[in-house]
Amino acid sequence: GARLLLLREIPFFVTGSARPEALDDVQDKLVAALAHGLDREAQAQKAMPVAAVCAALHGDRGPALRAAEEWQQELRGSFGDAAVAEAAHAAARRLGSELSA
């Protein structure tokens, strides 16, 4: 799915040659997955991190930061202060901090 395609793009991004067409394919798969009606928890755990990282790899700093912030808020709203949610929340916060630096 979209997560595997995104993982394959990271080495290209690191070398400064992200492939926009591959990132567009990830975005298309993400939109298709969301259209199938993922519940809020699944979106927070699966779709929202992909959207944030995809935007970051696209070089879209503003949208990537907004996506990371929305992910962080959704995790807090969906899972509260549970230990698993805290770990995911911290990861989303770190991504947001990196994007805003």
Side-chain angles (χ1 to χ4, degrees), residues 50-90:
V50 171
V53 173
C54 189
L57 292 182
H58 245 300
D60 298 334
R61 191 179 192 114
L65 181 56
R66 282 189 299 281
E69 289 169 347
E70 289 171 5
W71 176 28
Q72 179 181 353
Q73 291 170 359
E74 188 61 39
L75 286 169
R76 172 94 38 222
S78 292
F79 300 105
D81 291 325
V84 172
E86 275 304 310
H89 178 73

Side-chain angles (χ1 to χ4, degrees), residues 14 44 77 92:
V14 169

